[in-house]
Amino acid sequence: MIIREGDVPDSIEAVAQGVTYQLRPDELLLDIPDGTRMHVKEGREIVYSRGPDAGDRDIILFLLGTAWGALCYQRGLIPIHASAVLAGGKIAAFTGYSGAGKSTMAANLALRGYPFFTDDTLIFDPSAKGDGAICFAGQKQLKLWGDAIDKTGAEALDPVREANAIDKFYAVPPGQSEIAVAPLTRLFLLKRALGDATELNTLTELPPAEALQAIRRNLYRPHFAEVLLGRKPLFLALKKLLENVKVSEFVRQLGPENYETAIDYVSEAIGPATSQDS
């Protein structure tokens, strides 16, 4: 794979587009608000032109984010917006909307001895041989808000953005595994209880149709998937994933009094972290 700074085309013959992107099979043209532009082509090359005020961290954030996700689709891989740990040598992953607590959940479980596997992106390879849903780690560093770093004991590194305008940092998790590929067996859709809900936590296994929609919504940049990968390959891949993965909705209440209880609840569901994970 080639990543380089260079000339980026003004436009492509897009079959789908939004305010910041143009898409066609095997190509993405991305316009970032700071003036940076990226061209991801044929699963083999990312070319970027730097915006006038864009620093290296800003460039890296999008290279490892949207551009990386698009390149995965172009290679027939399925990037899921999820963070994960290992339990018994298998992946337990957490997905949900931005702010649902994916990274914080993974960091808290790592604090309890579950080897940290990936943050933000979990990459499913539908063509992998062998049993199960084989997945690769996307990012081995966490991205955590300042308060989450204080709670989880993670080691803070550089700010995520160059201008340090947001209180979010790259961080080293408490227990990081060098393992980069493993089978995914559990996927938790994180939600927060609303209003006057009284039950502290609920864990509900989703029926196949709901599980399919939940995974589809939580793919990395889901609006890119059908264009860059193709509709049929996408649904065949999701079918294979569902044949091997239990998808559950985990609803938890907010508040510090429920913090440890929620971690206990998930820990019991995924089982112990064994020595074979380390």
Side-chain angles (χ1 to χ4, degrees):
M1 186 182 73
I2 298 171
I3 301 176
R4 63 181 175 87
E5 190 165 1
D7 294 332
V8 173
D10 294 330
S11 63
I12 60 176
E13 294 182 9
V15 299
Q17 61 184 10
V19 174
T20 60
Y21 68 90
Q22 299 175 47
L23 279 176
R24 53 171 292 154
D26 288 336
E27 272 190 277
L28 163 69
L29 188 60
L30 182 66
D31 287 287
I32 300 167
D34 66 6
T36 298
R37 306 181 73 240
M38 294 186 176
H39 186 212
V40 186
K41 187 175 181 181
E42 298 175 349
R44 60 178 175 78
E45 185 178 59
I46 302 173
V47 181
Y48 65 92
S49 61
R50 188 185 296 263
D53 299 319
D56 289 344
R57 286 201 291 269
D58 299 324
I59 299 290
I60 291 171
L61 182 65
F62 283 92
L63 282 175
L64 297 181
T66 303
W68 175 248
L71 189 131
C72 285
Y73 286 127
Q74 292 172 350
R75 291 191 169 199
L77 303 170
I78 308 293
I80 303 168
H81 198 193
S83 300
V85 296
L86 294 170
K90 299 175 181 178
I91 300 168
F94 307 93
T95 189
Y97 57 86
S98 294
K102 302 181 289 292
S103 300
T104 304
M105 179 64 74
N108 274 295
L109 288 167
L111 192 62
R112 293 194 178 194
Y114 292 90
F116 172 80
F117 185 72
T118 190
D119 186 43
D120 199 48
T121 313
L122 176 70
I123 302 169
F124 170 50
D125 183 359
S127 68
K129 305 299 181 185
D131 297 332
I134 301 300
C135 292
F136 297 93
Q139 299 185 39
K140 281 296 189 181
Q141 286 183 348
L142 286 160
K143 292 197 290 284
L144 288 176
W145 295 99
D147 60 343
I149 288 175
D150 293 339
K151 289 178 181 176
T152 62
E155 177 188 352
L157 301 174
D158 293 327
V160 170
R161 296 305 300 265
E162 195 75 38
N164 199 18
I166 57 175
D167 183 33
K168 197 169 190 178
F169 300 83
Y170 291 106
V172 178
Q176 186 168 18
S177 171
E178 296 300 322
I179 296 174
V181 57
L184 173 65
T185 57
R186 297 294 305 266
L187 180 63
F188 296 87
L189 177 64
L190 298 182
K191 290 189 174 181
R192 295 177 177 180
L194 300 176
D196 58 355
T198 56
E199 191 169 356
L200 285 178
N201 299 291
T202 59
L203 185 63
T204 307
E205 185 173 353
L206 297 179
E210 291 184 32
L212 174 67
Q213 292 305 320
I215 296 174
R216 189 181 178 196
R217 284 195 303 272
N218 288 284
L219 294 178
Y220 207 82
R221 308 298 183 260
H223 48 298
F224 291 179
E226 286 193 24
V227 176
L228 293 176
L229 188 69
R231 183 179 178 82
K232 184 176 180 179
L234 174 63
F235 278 88
L236 288 176
L238 295 182
K239 179 176 179 292
K240 181 175 181 179
L241 193 69
L242 285 173
E243 289 171 350
N244 294 281
V245 179
K246 180 188 290 187
V247 181
S248 303
E249 181 181 85
F250 179 50
V251 180
R252 60 198 171 107
Q253 286 194 325
L254 300 179
E257 71 280 5
N258 190 41
Y259 189 77
E260 292 297 330
T261 305
I263 308 302
D264 291 342
Y265 206 81
V266 172
S267 179
E268 182 176 351
I270 64 177
T274 61
S275 58
Q276 63 179 306
D277 297 329
S278 58

